[in-house]
Amino acid sequence: MSGIFGVISKNKRCMNQLFYLGDYHSHLGTQFGGVALSGRKMTRKIHNISSSQFKSKLLDEYSSLEGNKGIGAISYEEQPLYVKSRFGDFCLVINGWVNNWKPLSRELFSKNFSFSEISNSRINICELVSKLILQKGSLVKGIEYMYSKIEGSISLLILTKKGIYASRDKYGTSSLVVGKSKNGFAVVTETAAFPNLDFKIEKELLPGEVVFINKNGLQQKKKGVKKNLKICAFSWIYTGFPASCYEGVNTEKVRQNCGRCLALADKIKPDLAAGVPDSGTAHAIGYALGKSIPFCRPLVKYTPGYGRSYLPSSQSIRNLVAKMKLIPIKEVIKKKKIVLCEDSIVRGTQLKNYTLTKLWENKAKQVHVRVACPPLMFPCIFNYSTRTKKELVARRAIKAIEKKEIKDVSQYIDDKSPKYDKMVSWIAKDLGATSLKYQKIDDMVSAIGLPKDKLCLYCWTGKR
Ligand code: SF4
């Protein structure tokens, strides 16, 4: 995932708002944070944020960054890109991923284009997007052309001397929302950035829509197509911030709905519901409300030191941090039948080694794991993902049951089939849980509240 944000201020400087917009998107990326500003001249700053927060890096430059409009990104690669072109200077940020980047880059090489930015030994996706846009006679036509060429999803912001172009990807996979305040406009991936900066939602862009924003307001440059919407369901389950809304649906409320659905589908009688901090918390609150049992915190996260502790790239350091950041509270755990809610299970190793182990070591009587979404079967192909199919615990379970890798996993996806039950039992045993239940896909969809055909459910079904 990435988060993109921009601001146009009626005042001389927009840096204060840009700084906080960036800070409120920090949960969406772990590697790079960058901003670009346009005033008398165009400037940009990009930082590696893998070992410290974006705001702490940006603070040193805060007073030197001038301009009344700016954009930024928290991302897996270096952004914004600064481009000198026949359309004038512009800066670009993207949120998304291009699956066919290899054939597209070969096509561009054959037309004598070259790439100068390299990220993780591959071309920079933001640069690829800029090169595609530059093939046409205007920025808007170039954006349309880029959408016609890519497989994946790209939402973007382009900062020019006159204003900001904003475009949401053609399926609306990630959200892009324009806000208005008395001092100007902002455009964000996460609406959680708005309330404390006094912005009110003006418009959520439709799939494929392009708008131009300047201090006078918003001009539509290309209509969006509502019926193309396939927004990422995982935004509500895990990646989004609780205070954010996408398509008008609040994330915290969806997570509570998920927990409630899990509770209503459950026959067990636990003493308390707990969430794996932080993203399991709201699911657990919903579970507790659904069962009329207390919500408690048997494990607390030591936020002051480990706020960004998942960032280290080395697995051994990640494991050490995972061990250190959650502190068990024996007085809450001992002799209790605990329901532990989790947003999703990817590999399952941290849940097993550093969460459940702590509950058992502190004499929990039972630990029932409840997961807010179905088993993850496919890595995301619409946004940046570091997961591989093989790593997913559901795939490991299938391999163990079948004694080989199999291609057709449809019976394991079908939650009414005996193979699905076998897979869940295998994972429960592997985790060391008293019991394990995953949310049914239709319950997750009803917790979100949008029509099923408007959601991307590829992670779970392999279909879009
Ligand atoms: S594949 Fe999963 S994470 Fe990716 S957009 Fe679809 S639901 Fe979201």
Side-chain angles (χ1 to χ4, degrees):
M1 285 297 290
S2 302
I4 55 176
F5 47 91
V7 66
I8 303 254
S9 175
K10 288 178 185 164
N11 301 325
K12 274 194 181 153
R13 292 192 81 225
C14 69
M15 193 52 209
N16 184 46
Q17 287 153 318
L18 200 62
F19 176 84
Y20 285 107
L21 288 175
D23 192 30
Y24 285 133
H25 284 77
S26 294
H27 58 289
L28 290 177
T30 57
Q31 286 164 280
F32 294 99
V35 292
L37 289 98
S38 173
R40 278 177 295 144
K41 55 180 185 165
M42 225 176 243
T43 47
R44 70 172 175 157
K45 295 282 173 192
I46 303 171
H47 291 290
N48 185 317
I49 54 167
S50 55
S51 56
S52 64
Q53 292 171 325
F54 183 47
K55 67 177 167 190
S56 61
K57 297 255 179 165
L58 207 55
L59 208 52
D60 295 340
E61 296 148 354
Y62 182 91
S63 48
S64 66
L65 289 171
E66 296 287 343
N68 65 348
K69 47 195 166 303
I71 57 170
I74 302 286
S75 177
Y76 58 87
E77 65 178 12
E78 290 177 70
Q79 306 187 44
L81 192 78
Y82 191 151
V83 182
K84 283 197 172 286
S85 78
R86 63 186 185 285
F87 307 125
D89 289 12
F90 68 84
C91 287
L92 170 70
V93 288
I94 60 162
N95 175 16
W97 179 248
V98 176
N99 281 312
N100 56 337
W101 64 268
K102 281 184 186 166
L104 284 175
S105 55
R106 281 197 294 271
E107 188 183 319
L108 288 166
F109 289 141
S110 73
K111 292 181 181 173
N112 297 325
F113 281 89
S114 47
F115 292 86
S116 52
E117 306 273 340
I118 301 295
S119 299
N120 300 322
S121 311
R122 56 155 171 77
I123 59 161
N124 178 297
I125 301 298
C126 192
E127 188 179 7
L128 172 67
V129 168
S130 78
K131 296 257 190 287
L132 291 168
I133 291 173
L134 287 169
Q135 309 248 330
K136 295 289 160 185
S138 72
L139 288 174
V140 176
K141 286 210 169 81
I143 293 169
E144 275 182 66
Y145 174 72
M146 180 270 295
Y147 284 148
S148 74
K149 297 290 285 182
I150 65 159
E151 288 163 17
S153 82
I154 292 290
S155 291
L156 59 83
L157 301 175
I158 296 175
L159 175 71
T160 70
K161 285 196 172 136
K162 293 187 176 157
I164 296 173
Y165 289 88
S167 178
R168 187 173 176 188
D169 93 84
K170 60 184 173 182
Y171 302 113
T173 309
S174 58
S175 178
L176 197 59
V177 183
V178 179
K180 187 179 177 185
S181 77
K182 64 179 186 339
N183 288 323
F185 295 88
V187 54
V188 294
T189 304
E190 291 278 29
T191 60
F194 281 168
N196 291 348
L197 295 171
D198 298 325
F199 287 101
K200 296 248 177 327
I201 293 175
E202 176 80 353
K203 176 182 178 57
E204 182 162 10
L205 268 60
L206 291 174
E209 184 171 4
V210 184
V211 296
F212 179 72
I213 313 161
N214 62 17
K215 66 178 187 314
N216 301 319
L218 211 73
Q219 290 165 28
Q220 192 183 57
K221 295 288 182 183
K222 184 178 170 276
K223 277 191 179 166
V225 186
K226 199 172 183 179
K227 71 174 173 35
N228 288 350
L229 184 69
K230 284 277 181 192
I231 185 169
C232 171
F234 211 46
S235 311
W236 285 283
I237 303 302
Y238 170 60
T239 51
F241 197 75
S244 284
C245 297
Y246 320 108
E247 298 300 320
V249 180
N250 172 256
T251 302
E252 178 80 0
K253 293 299 274 183
V254 168
R255 290 179 188 168
Q256 288 188 13
N257 292 344
C258 279
R260 210 185 284 264
C261 285
L262 284 165
L264 297 178
D266 226 352
K267 292 202 174 70
I268 57 167
K269 290 189 179 153
D271 298 318
L272 61 96
V276 180
D278 289 319
S279 48
T281 301
H283 299 293
I285 291 171
Y287 191 101
L289 289 169
K291 278 269 186 215
S292 299
I293 57 171
F295 164 76
C296 296
R297 296 197 301 160
L299 298 158
V300 284
K301 187 161 145 190
Y302 191 73
T303 318
Y306 291 98
R308 294 179 67 74
S309 57
Y310 59 95
L311 299 180
S313 49
S314 136
Q315 187 60 43
S316 60
I317 298 177
R318 271 212 303 271
N319 288 346
L320 176 67
V321 168
K323 176 177 166 22
M324 301 306 279
K325 74 178 174 186
L326 287 185
I327 305 176
I329 304 175
K330 194 169 203 152
E331 291 76 359
V332 180
I333 300 169
K334 199 173 173 187
K335 295 187 182 166
K336 290 291 190 297
K337 291 187 245 170
I338 297 171
V339 156
L340 185 71
C341 293
E342 178 63 302
D343 49 77
S344 55
I345 306 179
V346 182
R347 298 172 189 87
T349 38
Q350 293 197 352
L351 182 63
K352 173 180 168 173
N353 295 336
Y354 307 113
T355 309
L356 282 153
T357 304
K358 287 179 187 179
L359 296 175
W360 291 126
E361 282 172 355
N362 285 280
K363 309 277 182 267
K365 195 170 177 185
Q366 296 174 1
V367 182
H368 302 272
V369 177
R370 297 295 179 263
V371 190
C373 65
L376 293 168
M377 289 283 184
F378 301 89
C380 177
I381 56 169
F382 303 102
N383 214 318
Y384 181 73
S385 169
T386 52
R387 298 171 202 161
T388 63
K389 223 186 248 181
K390 278 186 189 166
E391 288 173 308
L392 301 173
V393 69
R395 292 287 182 157
R396 284 197 285 117
I398 295 168
K399 190 178 172 191
I401 294 164
E402 298 284 344
K403 302 195 174 33
K404 61 179 180 189
E405 309 249 359
I406 57 165
K407 278 198 174 142
D408 179 5
V409 292
S410 52
Q411 290 189 63
Y412 289 97
I413 292 172
D414 176 5
D415 57 39
K416 291 177 195 72
S417 89
K419 289 213 166 179
Y420 172 91
D421 292 338
K422 253 188 170 180
M423 173 186 70
V424 175
S425 302
W426 187 96
I427 300 169
K429 200 167 163 210
D430 186 60
L431 292 174
T434 310
S435 74
L436 168 69
K437 272 192 180 179
Y438 285 89
Q439 189 89 270
K440 308 276 186 217
I441 199 146
D442 288 340
D443 286 344
M444 181 181 77
V445 170
S446 72
I448 295 170
L450 292 180
K452 195 172 183 177
D453 66 348
K454 297 292 164 222
L455 296 170
C456 175
L457 302 169
Y458 181 89
C459 283
W460 304 283
T461 63
K463 293 182 195 141
R464 203 181 201 193

